[in-house]
Coordinates of all heavy atoms in Angstrom, one line a residue:
M7 N 103.8 -60.3 54.9 CA 104.2 -60.9 56.1 C 104.8 -62.3 55.7 O 104.3 -63.0 55.0 CB 103.0 -61.2 57.0 CG 103.4 -61.6 58.4 SD 101.9 -62.0 59.4 CE 101.4 -60.3 59.8
S8 N 106.0 -62.6 56.3 CA 106.7 -63.8 56.0 C 106.0 -65.0 56.8 O 105.3 -64.7 57.7 CB 108.1 -63.8 56.3 OG 108.3 -63.9 57.7
S9 N 106.2 -66.2 56.3 CA 105.5 -67.3 57.0 C 106.1 -67.5 58.4 O 105.4 -67.9 59.3 CB 105.7 -68.6 56.2 OG 107.1 -68.9 56.1
G10 N 107.3 -67.0 58.6 CA 107.9 -67.1 59.9 C 107.2 -66.2 60.9 O 107.2 -66.5 62.1
R11 N 106.5 -65.2 60.4 CA 105.8 -64.3 61.4 C 104.3 -64.6 61.4 O 103.6 -64.1 62.3 CB 106.0 -62.8 60.9 CG 107.4 -62.3 61.2 CD 107.5 -60.9 60.8 NE 108.8 -60.4 61.1 CZ 109.3 -59.2 60.9 NH1 108.4 -58.3 60.3 NH2 110.5 -58.8 61.2
L12 N 103.8 -65.3 60.5 CA 102.4 -65.5 60.4 C 101.9 -66.4 61.6 O 100.9 -66.1 62.2 CB 102.1 -66.2 59.0 CG 100.6 -66.4 58.7 CD1 99.9 -65.0 58.8 CD2 100.4 -67.0 57.4
L13 N 102.6 -67.5 61.8 CA 102.1 -68.4 62.9 C 102.0 -67.7 64.2 O 101.0 -67.8 64.9 CB 103.1 -69.6 63.0 CG 102.5 -70.7 63.9 CD1 101.1 -71.2 63.5 CD2 103.5 -71.9 63.9
P14 N 103.1 -67.0 64.7 CA 102.9 -66.3 66.0 C 101.7 -65.3 66.0 O 101.0 -65.2 66.9 CB 104.2 -65.5 66.2 CG 105.2 -66.3 65.3 CD 104.4 -66.8 64.2
A15 N 101.5 -64.6 64.8 CA 100.4 -63.7 64.7 C 99.1 -64.4 64.9 O 98.1 -64.0 65.5 CB 100.4 -62.9 63.4
L16 N 99.0 -65.6 64.2 CA 97.7 -66.4 64.3 C 97.5 -66.9 65.7 O 96.4 -66.8 66.2 CB 97.8 -67.6 63.4 CG 97.6 -67.3 61.9 CD1 97.9 -68.6 61.1 CD2 96.2 -66.8 61.6
L17 N 98.6 -67.3 66.4 CA 98.4 -67.8 67.7 C 98.0 -66.6 68.7 O 97.1 -66.8 69.5 CB 99.7 -68.4 68.2 CG 100.1 -69.7 67.6 CD1 101.5 -70.2 68.1 CD2 99.0 -70.8 68.0
A18 N 98.5 -65.5 68.4 CA 98.2 -64.3 69.3 C 96.7 -64.0 69.1 O 96.0 -63.7 70.0 CB 99.0 -63.1 68.9
G19 N 96.2 -64.1 67.8 CA 94.8 -63.9 67.6 C 93.9 -64.9 68.2 O 92.9 -64.6 68.8
L20 N 94.4 -66.1 68.3 CA 93.6 -67.2 68.9 C 93.5 -67.0 70.4 O 92.4 -67.1 71.0 CB 94.4 -68.5 68.6 CG 93.6 -69.8 68.8 CD1 92.4 -69.8 67.8 CD2 94.5 -71.0 68.6
V21 N 94.6 -66.5 71.0 CA 94.5 -66.2 72.5 C 93.5 -65.1 72.7 O 92.7 -65.2 73.7 CB 95.9 -65.8 73.0 CG1 95.8 -65.3 74.4 CG2 96.9 -67.1 72.9
L22 N 93.5 -64.1 71.9 CA 92.6 -63.0 72.1 C 91.2 -63.5 72.0 O 90.3 -63.1 72.8 CB 92.8 -61.9 71.0 CG 93.9 -60.9 71.3 CD1 94.1 -59.9 70.2 CD2 93.6 -60.2 72.6
L23 N 90.9 -64.4 71.0 CA 89.5 -64.8 70.8 C 89.0 -65.7 71.9 O 87.8 -65.7 72.2 CB 89.5 -65.6 69.5 CG 89.5 -64.8 68.2 CD1 89.6 -65.7 67.0 CD2 88.3 -63.9 68.1
T24 N 89.9 -66.4 72.6 CA 89.5 -67.4 73.6 C 89.6 -66.9 75.0 O 89.1 -67.5 75.9 CB 90.3 -68.7 73.5 OG1 91.7 -68.3 73.6 CG2 90.1 -69.4 72.1
S25 N 90.2 -65.7 75.2 CA 90.3 -65.1 76.5 C 89.0 -64.7 77.0 O 88.2 -64.1 76.2 CB 91.3 -64.0 76.6 OG 92.6 -64.4 76.2
P26 N 88.6 -64.9 78.2 CA 87.4 -64.3 78.7 C 87.5 -62.8 78.8 O 88.6 -62.2 78.8 CB 87.3 -64.8 80.2 CG 88.7 -65.3 80.5 CD 89.4 -65.6 79.3
A27 N 86.4 -62.1 78.7 CA 86.4 -60.6 78.8 C 87.2 -60.2 80.0 O 87.1 -60.7 81.1 CB 85.0 -60.1 78.8
L28 N 88.0 -59.2 79.8 CA 88.8 -58.6 80.9 C 87.9 -57.9 81.9 O 86.9 -57.2 81.5 CB 89.8 -57.7 80.4 CG 91.0 -58.3 79.7 CD1 92.0 -57.2 79.1 CD2 91.8 -59.2 80.7
A29 N 88.1 -58.1 83.1 CA 87.3 -57.4 84.2 C 87.7 -56.0 84.1 O 88.8 -55.6 84.0 CB 87.6 -58.0 85.5
E30 N 86.6 -55.1 84.3 CA 86.8 -53.7 84.4 C 86.9 -53.3 85.9 O 86.3 -54.0 86.8 CB 85.7 -52.9 83.8 CG 85.5 -53.2 82.3 CD 86.5 -52.4 81.4 OE1 87.1 -51.4 82.0 OE2 86.6 -52.7 80.2
E31 N 87.5 -52.2 86.2 CA 87.5 -51.7 87.6 C 86.9 -50.3 87.6 O 87.1 -49.5 86.7 CB 89.0 -51.6 88.0 CG 89.1 -51.2 89.5 CD 90.6 -51.3 89.9 OE1 91.1 -52.4 89.9 OE2 91.1 -50.3 90.3
Y32 N 85.9 -50.1 88.5 CA 85.2 -48.9 88.6 C 85.4 -48.3 90.1 O 85.4 -49.1 91.0 CB 83.7 -49.1 88.4 CG 83.4 -49.6 87.0 CD1 83.3 -51.0 86.8 CD2 83.2 -48.8 85.9 CE1 83.0 -51.5 85.5 CE2 82.9 -49.3 84.7 CZ 82.8 -50.7 84.5 OH 82.5 -51.2 83.3
V33 N 85.4 -47.0 90.2 CA 85.5 -46.4 91.5 C 84.1 -45.8 91.8 O 83.5 -45.1 90.9 CB 86.5 -45.3 91.5 CG1 86.5 -44.5 92.9 CG2 87.9 -45.9 91.3
I34 N 83.6 -46.1 93.0 CA 82.4 -45.4 93.4 C 82.8 -44.6 94.7 O 83.2 -45.1 95.7 CB 81.2 -46.3 93.8 CG1 80.8 -47.1 92.5 CG2 80.0 -45.6 94.4 CD1 79.6 -48.0 92.7
V35 N 82.7 -43.3 94.5 CA 83.1 -42.4 95.6 C 81.9 -42.2 96.5 O 80.7 -42.1 96.1 CB 83.5 -41.0 95.0 CG1 83.7 -40.0 96.2 CG2 84.9 -41.2 94.3
I36 N 82.2 -42.2 97.8 CA 81.2 -41.8 98.8 C 81.6 -40.5 99.4 O 82.7 -40.4 99.9 CB 81.1 -42.9 99.9 CG1 80.9 -44.3 99.3 CG2 80.0 -42.6 101.0 CD1 81.1 -45.4 100.4
D37 N 80.7 -39.5 99.4 CA 81.0 -38.2 99.9 C 79.7 -37.5 100.2 O 78.7 -37.7 99.6 CB 81.9 -37.4 98.9 CG 82.6 -36.2 99.5 OD1 82.6 -36.1 100.7 OD2 83.1 -35.4 98.7
A38 N 79.8 -36.5 101.1 CA 78.6 -35.7 101.5 C 77.4 -36.6 101.8 O 76.3 -36.2 101.3 CB 78.4 -34.7 100.4
M39 N 77.6 -37.7 102.5 CA 76.5 -38.6 102.8 C 75.8 -39.2 101.7 O 74.6 -39.5 101.7 CB 75.5 -37.8 103.7 CG 76.1 -37.2 105.0 SD 76.5 -38.5 106.2 CE 74.9 -39.0 106.7
K40 N 76.5 -39.4 100.6 CA 75.9 -40.0 99.4 C 76.9 -40.9 98.7 O 78.1 -40.7 98.7 CB 75.5 -38.9 98.4 CG 74.2 -38.2 98.7 CD 73.7 -37.3 97.6 CE 74.7 -36.1 97.4 NZ 74.2 -35.0 96.6
F41 N 76.3 -41.9 98.0 CA 77.0 -42.7 97.1 C 77.0 -42.0 95.7 O 75.9 -41.5 95.3 CB 76.4 -44.1 96.9 CG 76.5 -45.0 98.1 CD1 75.3 -45.2 98.9 CD2 77.6 -45.7 98.4 CE1 75.3 -46.0 100.0 CE2 77.7 -46.5 99.6 CZ 76.5 -46.7 100.3
A42 N 78.1 -42.0 95.0 CA 78.1 -41.5 93.6 C 77.2 -42.4 92.8 O 77.0 -43.6 93.1 CB 79.5 -41.4 93.0
A43 N 76.8 -42.0 91.6 CA 75.9 -42.8 90.8 C 76.7 -44.0 90.3 O 77.9 -44.0 90.1 CB 75.5 -42.0 89.5
P44 N 76.0 -45.2 90.3 CA 76.7 -46.4 89.9 C 77.0 -46.4 88.4 O 76.3 -45.8 87.6 CB 75.7 -47.5 90.3 CG 74.4 -46.8 90.2 CD 74.6 -45.4 90.6
P45 N 78.1 -47.1 88.0 CA 78.5 -47.1 86.6 C 77.5 -48.0 85.9 O 76.9 -48.9 86.4 CB 79.9 -47.7 86.6 CG 80.1 -48.4 87.9 CD 79.1 -47.7 88.9
D46 N 77.3 -47.7 84.6 CA 76.5 -48.5 83.7 C 77.3 -49.7 83.2 O 78.5 -49.6 83.1 CB 76.0 -47.7 82.5 CG 74.9 -46.7 82.9 OD1 74.2 -47.0 83.8 OD2 74.9 -45.6 82.2
G47 N 76.6 -50.7 82.8 CA 77.3 -51.8 82.1 C 78.2 -52.7 83.0 O 79.1 -53.3 82.5
L48 N 77.9 -52.8 84.3 CA 78.6 -53.6 85.2 C 78.4 -55.1 84.8 O 77.3 -55.5 84.5 CB 78.2 -53.5 86.6 CG 78.6 -52.2 87.3 CD1 77.9 -52.1 88.7 CD2 80.1 -52.1 87.5
K49 N 79.5 -55.8 84.8 CA 79.5 -57.3 84.5 C 80.1 -58.1 85.7 O 80.9 -57.6 86.4 CB 80.4 -57.5 83.3 CG 79.9 -56.8 82.0 CD 79.1 -57.7 81.2 CE 78.9 -57.1 79.8 NZ 77.5 -57.3 79.3
E50 N 79.6 -59.3 85.7 CA 80.2 -60.3 86.6 C 81.7 -60.2 86.5 O 82.3 -60.2 85.4 CB 79.7 -61.7 86.2 CG 79.4 -62.6 87.4 CD 78.8 -63.9 86.9 OE1 78.2 -63.9 85.8 OE2 78.9 -64.9 87.6
N51 N 82.4 -60.3 87.7 CA 83.9 -60.3 87.8 C 84.5 -58.9 87.7 O 85.7 -58.8 87.9 CB 84.5 -61.2 86.8 CG 84.2 -62.7 87.1 OD1 84.1 -63.1 88.2 ND2 83.9 -63.4 86.0
D52 N 83.7 -57.9 87.4 CA 84.2 -56.5 87.5 C 84.5 -56.2 88.9 O 84.0 -56.9 89.8 CB 83.2 -55.5 86.9 CG 83.2 -55.5 85.4 OD1 84.0 -56.1 84.8 OD2 82.3 -54.8 84.8
V53 N 85.3 -55.2 89.1 CA 85.7 -54.8 90.5 C 85.2 -53.4 90.8 O 85.3 -52.5 89.9 CB 87.2 -54.8 90.6 CG1 87.7 -54.2 91.9 CG2 87.8 -56.2 90.4
I54 N 84.6 -53.2 91.9 CA 84.2 -51.9 92.4 C 85.2 -51.5 93.5 O 85.5 -52.2 94.4 CB 82.8 -51.9 93.1 CG1 81.7 -52.3 92.1 CG2 82.5 -50.5 93.7 CD1 81.3 -51.3 91.1
V55 N 85.8 -50.3 93.4 CA 86.6 -49.7 94.4 C 85.7 -48.7 95.1 O 85.3 -47.7 94.5 CB 87.9 -49.1 93.9 CG1 88.7 -48.4 95.0 CG2 88.7 -50.1 93.1
W56 N 85.4 -49.0 96.4 CA 84.6 -48.1 97.2 C 85.6 -47.1 97.8 O 86.5 -47.6 98.5 CB 83.8 -48.8 98.2 CG 82.8 -49.9 97.7 CD1 83.1 -51.2 97.5 CD2 81.5 -49.7 97.2 NE1 82.0 -51.8 97.0 CE2 81.0 -50.9 96.8 CE3 80.7 -48.5 97.1 CZ2 79.7 -51.1 96.3 CZ3 79.4 -48.7 96.6 CH2 78.9 -50.0 96.2
R57 N 85.4 -45.8 97.6 CA 86.3 -44.9 98.2 C 85.6 -43.8 99.0 O 84.7 -43.1 98.5 CB 87.1 -44.2 97.0 CG 88.1 -43.1 97.5 CD 88.8 -42.6 96.3 NE 89.6 -43.6 95.6 CZ 90.0 -43.5 94.3 NH1 89.6 -42.5 93.6 NH2 90.7 -44.5 93.8
N58 N 85.8 -43.8 100.3 CA 85.1 -42.9 101.2 C 85.9 -41.6 101.3 O 86.9 -41.5 102.0 CB 84.9 -43.6 102.6 CG 84.1 -42.7 103.5 OD1 83.6 -41.7 103.1 ND2 84.1 -43.2 104.8
E59 N 85.4 -40.6 100.7 CA 86.0 -39.3 100.7 C 85.3 -38.4 101.7 O 85.6 -37.2 101.8 CB 86.1 -38.6 99.3 CG 87.0 -39.4 98.4 CD 87.1 -38.8 97.0 OE1 86.5 -37.7 96.8 OE2 87.9 -39.4 96.2
D60 N 84.3 -39.0 102.5 CA 83.6 -38.2 103.4 C 84.3 -38.1 104.7 O 85.3 -38.7 104.9 CB 82.2 -38.9 103.6 CG 81.1 -37.9 104.0 OD1 81.4 -36.7 104.3 OD2 79.9 -38.3 103.9
I61 N 83.8 -37.2 105.6 CA 84.5 -37.1 106.9 C 83.8 -38.1 107.9 O 84.2 -38.2 109.1 CB 84.3 -35.6 107.5 CG1 82.9 -35.2 107.6 CG2 85.1 -34.7 106.6 CD1 82.7 -33.9 108.3
F62 N 82.8 -38.8 107.5 CA 82.1 -39.8 108.3 C 82.5 -41.2 107.9 O 82.8 -41.4 106.7 CB 80.6 -39.6 108.2 CG 80.1 -38.2 108.6 CD1 79.7 -37.4 107.6 CD2 80.2 -37.8 109.9 CE1 79.3 -36.1 107.9 CE2 79.8 -36.5 110.3 CZ 79.3 -35.7 109.3
R63 N 82.4 -42.1 108.8 CA 82.5 -43.6 108.5 C 81.2 -44.0 107.8 O 80.1 -43.7 108.2 CB 82.7 -44.3 109.8 CG 83.0 -45.8 109.6 CD 83.2 -46.4 111.0 NE 83.4 -47.8 110.9 CZ 83.7 -48.6 112.0 NH1 83.8 -48.0 113.2 NH2 83.9 -49.8 111.9
H64 N 81.4 -44.8 106.7 CA 80.2 -45.4 106.0 C 80.5 -46.9 105.7 O 81.6 -47.3 105.7 CB 80.0 -44.7 104.7 CG 79.7 -43.2 104.8 ND1 78.5 -42.8 105.3 CD2 80.4 -42.1 104.5 CE1 78.5 -41.4 105.3 NE2 79.6 -41.0 104.8
T65 N 79.4 -47.5 105.4 CA 79.5 -48.9 104.8 C 78.8 -48.9 103.5 O 78.0 -48.1 103.2 CB 78.9 -50.0 105.7 OG1 77.4 -49.9 105.6 CG2 79.3 -49.8 107.2
A66 N 79.3 -49.9 102.7 CA 78.5 -50.3 101.5 C 78.1 -51.7 101.7 O 78.9 -52.7 101.6 CB 79.4 -50.2 100.2
T67 N 76.8 -51.9 102.1 CA 76.3 -53.1 102.6 C 75.2 -53.6 101.6 O 74.3 -52.9 101.3 CB 75.8 -53.0 104.0 OG1 76.8 -52.4 104.8 CG2 75.3 -54.3 104.6
D68 N 75.3 -54.9 101.2 CA 74.3 -55.5 100.4 C 73.1 -56.0 101.3 O 73.4 -56.7 102.2 CB 74.9 -56.7 99.6 CG 73.8 -57.5 98.9 OD1 72.8 -56.9 98.5 OD2 74.0 -58.7 98.7
R69 N 71.9 -55.6 101.0 CA 70.8 -56.0 101.7 C 70.6 -57.5 101.7 O 70.1 -58.1 102.7 CB 69.5 -55.4 101.2 CG 68.9 -54.3 102.1 CD 67.7 -53.7 101.5 NE 67.8 -52.3 101.3 CZ 68.0 -51.4 102.3 NH1 68.0 -51.8 103.5 NH2 68.1 -50.1 102.0
G70 N 71.1 -58.1 100.6 CA 71.0 -59.6 100.5 C 72.1 -60.3 101.3 O 72.2 -61.5 101.3
G71 N 73.1 -59.5 101.8 CA 74.1 -60.1 102.6 C 75.4 -60.6 101.9 O 76.2 -61.2 102.5
S72 N 75.5 -60.3 100.6 CA 76.7 -60.9 99.9 C 77.9 -60.0 100.1 O 79.0 -60.6 99.9 CB 76.4 -61.0 98.4 OG 76.2 -59.8 97.8
F73 N 77.8 -58.8 100.6 CA 79.0 -58.1 100.9 C 78.7 -57.0 101.9 O 77.5 -56.5 102.0 CB 79.7 -57.5 99.7 CG 78.9 -56.6 98.8 CD1 78.7 -55.2 99.2 CD2 78.2 -57.1 97.7 CE1 77.9 -54.4 98.4 CE2 77.4 -56.2 96.9 CZ 77.3 -54.9 97.3
D74 N 79.7 -56.5 102.7 CA 79.6 -55.5 103.7 C 80.9 -54.8 103.8 O 81.8 -55.3 104.5 CB 79.1 -56.2 105.0 CG 78.9 -55.1 106.1 OD1 78.7 -53.9 105.8 OD2 78.9 -55.5 107.3
M75 N 81.1 -53.7 103.1 CA 82.4 -53.0 103.2 C 82.3 -51.9 104.2 O 81.4 -51.1 104.1 CB 82.7 -52.4 101.8 CG 82.3 -53.2 100.6 SD 83.1 -54.8 100.4 CE 84.7 -54.2 99.8
D76 N 83.2 -51.9 105.2 CA 83.2 -50.9 106.2 C 84.3 -49.9 106.0 O 85.5 -50.4 106.0 CB 83.3 -51.6 107.6 CG 82.9 -50.7 108.7 OD1 82.9 -49.5 108.6 OD2 82.5 -51.2 109.8
L77 N 84.0 -48.7 105.8 CA 85.0 -47.7 105.3 C 85.2 -46.5 106.3 O 84.3 -45.7 106.4 CB 84.6 -47.2 104.0 CG 84.6 -48.3 102.9 CD1 83.5 -47.9 101.8 CD2 85.9 -48.5 102.2
E78 N 86.3 -46.4 106.9 CA 86.7 -45.3 107.7 C 86.8 -44.1 106.7 O 87.0 -44.3 105.5 CB 88.0 -45.5 108.4 CG 88.1 -46.6 109.4 CD 87.4 -46.3 110.7 OE1 87.1 -45.1 110.9 OE2 87.2 -47.2 111.5
P79 N 86.7 -42.8 107.2 CA 87.0 -41.7 106.4 C 88.3 -41.8 105.7 O 89.3 -42.2 106.3 CB 87.0 -40.5 107.3 CG 86.1 -40.9 108.5 CD 86.4 -42.4 108.6
G80 N 88.4 -41.6 104.4 CA 89.6 -41.7 103.6 C 90.0 -43.1 103.2 O 90.9 -43.3 102.4
A81 N 89.2 -44.1 103.6 CA 89.6 -45.5 103.3 C 88.9 -45.9 101.9 O 88.0 -45.3 101.5 CB 89.1 -46.4 104.3
E82 N 89.5 -46.9 101.3 CA 88.9 -47.5 100.1 C 89.0 -49.0 100.3 O 89.9 -49.5 101.0 CB 89.5 -47.0 98.8 CG 90.9 -47.3 98.6 CD 91.3 -46.7 97.2 OE1 90.9 -45.6 96.8 OE2 92.1 -47.5 96.5
A83 N 88.1 -49.7 99.6 CA 88.1 -51.2 99.6 C 87.6 -51.7 98.3 O 86.8 -51.1 97.6 CB 87.2 -51.7 100.7
R84 N 88.2 -52.8 97.9 CA 87.9 -53.4 96.6 C 86.8 -54.6 96.8 O 86.9 -55.4 97.7 CB 89.1 -54.0 95.9 CG 90.2 -53.0 95.6 CD 91.5 -53.7 95.2 NE 91.3 -54.6 94.1 CZ 91.5 -54.2 92.8 NH1 91.7 -52.9 92.6 NH2 91.3 -55.0 91.8
L85 N 85.9 -54.6 95.8 CA 84.9 -55.6 95.9 C 84.8 -56.2 94.5 O 84.5 -55.5 93.5 CB 83.5 -55.0 96.2 CG 82.3 -55.9 96.0 CD1 82.2 -57.0 97.0 CD2 81.0 -55.1 96.0
T86 N 85.0 -57.5 94.4 CA 84.8 -58.2 93.1 C 83.4 -58.7 93.0 O 82.9 -59.3 93.9 CB 85.8 -59.4 93.0 OG1 87.1 -59.0 93.1 CG2 85.6 -60.2 91.7
L87 N 82.7 -58.3 91.9 CA 81.3 -58.7 91.7 C 81.3 -60.1 91.3 O 81.4 -60.4 90.1 CB 80.7 -57.7 90.7 CG 80.7 -56.3 91.1 CD1 80.3 -55.3 90.0 CD2 79.9 -56.0 92.3
A88 N 81.1 -61.0 92.2 CA 81.2 -62.4 91.9 C 80.0 -63.0 91.3 O 80.1 -64.1 90.7 CB 81.5 -63.2 93.2
A89 N 78.9 -62.3 91.3 CA 77.7 -62.9 90.7 C 76.8 -61.8 90.1 O 76.9 -60.6 90.5 CB 76.8 -63.5 91.8
A90 N 76.1 -62.2 89.1 CA 75.2 -61.2 88.4 C 74.0 -61.0 89.3 O 73.6 -61.8 90.2 CB 74.8 -61.7 87.1
G91 N 73.3 -59.9 89.1 CA 72.0 -59.6 89.8 C 71.9 -58.2 90.1 O 72.7 -57.4 89.7
T92 N 70.8 -57.8 90.8 CA 70.7 -56.4 91.3 C 70.9 -56.4 92.8 O 70.3 -57.2 93.5 CB 69.3 -55.9 91.0 OG1 69.1 -55.9 89.5 CG2 69.1 -54.5 91.5
F93 N 71.8 -55.6 93.2 CA 72.2 -55.5 94.6 C 71.7 -54.2 95.2 O 72.1 -53.1 94.7 CB 73.7 -55.7 94.8 CG 74.2 -57.0 94.2 CD1 74.5 -57.1 92.9 CD2 74.2 -58.1 95.0 CE1 75.0 -58.3 92.3 CE2 74.6 -59.4 94.5 CZ 75.0 -59.5 93.1
E94 N 70.9 -54.3 96.3 CA 70.5 -53.1 97.0 C 71.5 -52.8 98.0 O 71.6 -53.5 99.0 CB 69.1 -53.3 97.5 CG 68.0 -53.5 96.5 CD 66.6 -53.7 97.1 OE1 66.3 -53.2 98.2 OE2 65.9 -54.5 96.6
V95 N 72.2 -51.7 97.8 CA 73.3 -51.3 98.8 C 72.8 -50.2 99.6 O 72.1 -49.3 99.2 CB 74.5 -50.9 97.9 CG1 75.7 -50.5 98.8 CG2 74.9 -52.0 96.9
Y96 N 73.2 -50.2 100.9 CA 72.9 -49.1 101.8 C 74.1 -49.0 102.8 O 75.0 -49.8 102.8 CB 71.6 -49.4 102.6 CG 71.6 -50.5 103.6 CD1 71.6 -50.2 105.0 CD2 71.7 -51.8 103.2 CE1 71.7 -51.2 105.9 CE2 71.8 -52.8 104.2 CZ 71.8 -52.5 105.5 OH 71.9 -53.5 106.5
C97 N 74.0 -47.9 103.6 CA 75.0 -47.7 104.6 C 74.4 -48.1 106.0 O 73.3 -47.6 106.3 CB 75.5 -46.2 104.6 SG 76.5 -45.8 106.1
R98 N 75.1 -49.0 106.7 CA 74.5 -49.4 108.0 C 74.4 -48.3 109.0 O 73.6 -48.3 109.9 CB 75.4 -50.5 108.6 CG 75.1 -51.9 107.9 CD 75.8 -53.0 108.6 NE 77.2 -53.1 108.4 CZ 78.2 -52.8 109.2 NH1 77.9 -52.4 110.5 NH2 79.5 -52.9 108.9
Y99 N 75.3 -47.3 108.9 CA 75.2 -46.1 109.8 C 74.2 -45.1 109.4 O 73.8 -44.3 110.2 CB 76.6 -45.5 109.9 CG 77.7 -46.5 110.3 CD1 78.8 -46.7 109.5 CD2 77.6 -47.3 111.5 CE1 79.8 -47.6 109.8 CE2 78.6 -48.2 111.8 CZ 79.7 -48.4 111.0 OH 80.6 -49.3 111.3
H100 N 73.9 -45.0 108.1 CA 73.0 -44.0 107.6 C 72.1 -44.7 106.6 O 72.4 -44.6 105.4 CB 73.8 -42.9 106.9 CG 75.0 -42.4 107.7 ND1 76.3 -42.7 107.5 CD2 75.0 -41.5 108.8 CE1 77.1 -42.2 108.4 NE2 76.3 -41.4 109.2
P101 N 71.1 -45.3 107.1 CA 70.2 -46.2 106.2 C 69.6 -45.4 105.0 O 69.1 -46.0 104.1 CB 69.2 -46.8 107.1 CG 69.8 -46.7 108.5 CD 70.7 -45.4 108.5
G102 N 69.5 -44.1 105.1 CA 69.0 -43.3 104.0 C 69.9 -43.3 102.8 O 69.5 -42.9 101.7
M103 N 71.2 -43.7 103.0 CA 72.1 -43.7 101.9 C 71.9 -45.1 101.1 O 72.2 -46.1 101.7 CB 73.6 -43.7 102.4 CG 73.9 -42.3 103.0 SD 75.6 -42.4 103.7 CE 76.6 -42.9 102.3
T104 N 71.5 -45.0 99.9 CA 71.2 -46.3 99.2 C 71.8 -46.1 97.7 O 72.0 -45.0 97.2 CB 69.7 -46.6 99.1 OG1 69.1 -45.5 98.4 CG2 69.1 -46.7 100.5
L105 N 71.9 -47.3 97.1 CA 72.5 -47.4 95.8 C 72.1 -48.8 95.2 O 72.2 -49.7 95.9 CB 74.0 -47.3 95.9 CG 74.8 -47.6 94.6 CD1 74.8 -46.3 93.7 CD2 76.2 -47.9 95.0
D106 N 71.6 -48.8 94.0 CA 71.3 -50.1 93.4 C 72.4 -50.4 92.4 O 72.7 -49.6 91.5 CB 70.0 -50.1 92.6 CG 68.8 -50.2 93.6 OD1 69.1 -50.5 94.8 OD2 67.7 -50.1 93.1
L107 N 73.0 -51.6 92.5 CA 74.1 -52.0 91.6 C 73.5 -53.1 90.7 O 73.0 -54.1 91.2 CB 75.3 -52.7 92.3 CG 76.3 -51.8 92.9 CD1 77.4 -52.7 93.5 CD2 76.9 -50.8 92.0
V108 N 73.5 -52.9 89.4 CA 72.9 -53.9 88.4 C 74.1 -54.5 87.7 O 74.9 -53.9 87.1 CB 72.0 -53.2 87.4 CG1 71.5 -54.3 86.4 CG2 70.9 -52.5 88.1
V109 N 74.3 -55.8 88.0 CA 75.4 -56.6 87.4 C 74.9 -57.6 86.4 O 74.1 -58.5 86.8 CB 76.2 -57.3 88.6 CG1 77.4 -58.0 88.1 CG2 76.6 -56.2 89.7
E110 N 75.4 -57.5 85.2 CA 75.0 -58.4 84.2 C 75.9 -59.6 84.1 O 77.1 -59.5 84.5 CB 75.0 -57.7 82.8 CG 73.9 -56.7 82.7 CD 74.2 -55.6 81.7 OE1 75.0 -55.8 80.9 OE2 73.5 -54.5 81.8
P111 N 75.4 -60.8 83.7 CA 76.2 -61.9 83.6 C 77.3 -61.8 82.6 O 77.2 -61.0 81.6 CB 75.3 -63.1 83.2 CG 73.9 -62.5 83.0 CD 74.0 -61.0 83.2
Ligands
CU228 CU1 77.0 -43.8 106.1

């Protein structure tokens, strides 16, 4: 590698090392009156796309009140996980529908 190319390569490496981890995006499908299993390894700032493929309206509601996604049949909505923690999610219309989201810092 010539010295003319070394510096840009070093700078690119530096940017990679100092960038925060890229947020991941995960889809959680709601269908047949159930939430699909939550993904493993969720981190703060990751995004959940809630996708309602059921014929009924559902919500993805945090018992602690930090989010409440209301989804018509066929709708989807994005949720950025702004904080770490364990979130007990349920559907306001069908309280038997539950899901625990574990978000690591
Ligand atoms: Cu529901």
